[in-house]
Amino acid sequence: MPEDLRHLAKTGQTIAVRVTPKASRNMIKVEDGMVRVYVTEVPENGKATRAVQKLLAKALGVAKSRVALVKGQVSRDKVFVVTD
């Protein structure tokens, strides 16, 4: 079960995350105010990014289509925004 981030599920809210691909399991941790997302997917062809998007959407309690990547397509540091 991912960490509960429903308090961030407001339209226009940006969420900066640090991604760790090829982790042993999918999970979200909030450490010192920073959101860290661990996914089992490999970082090729956007697989890890899509896994992060899906995990974030579940933690936010919104549809996956409402979580859009705005920065960091090929970076470990990504910024997502919650759309309407």
Side-chain angles (χ1 to χ4, degrees):
M1 178 74 182
E3 186 150 337
D4 186 0
L5 299 176
R6 284 182 283 191
H7 63 283
L8 298 175
K10 299 177 184 78
T11 300
Q13 174 74 47
T14 58
I15 304 163
V17 300
R18 165 61 66 99
V19 179
T20 301
K22 297 193 295 184
S24 59
R25 64 182 198 176
N26 292 331
M27 69 178 162
I28 295 177
K29 286 186 179 179
V30 178
E31 300 169 342
D32 300 324
M34 180 168 198
V35 179
R36 297 189 58 101
V37 181
Y38 301 85
V39 292
T40 57
E41 290 289 344
V42 293
E44 49 189 48
N45 300 324
K47 290 179 184 176
T49 300
R50 287 190 296 275
V52 169
Q53 179 186 27
K54 184 177 177 181
L55 205 58
L56 263 181
K58 186 173 183 176
L60 291 166
V62 299
K64 186 173 69 170
S65 61
R66 290 193 55 206
V67 179
L69 179 68
V70 292
K71 185 177 178 185
Q73 180 69 34
V74 293
S75 171
R76 288 182 52 163
D77 295 312
K78 300 182 184 298
V79 177
F80 289 88
V81 66
V82 179
T83 62
D84 56 359

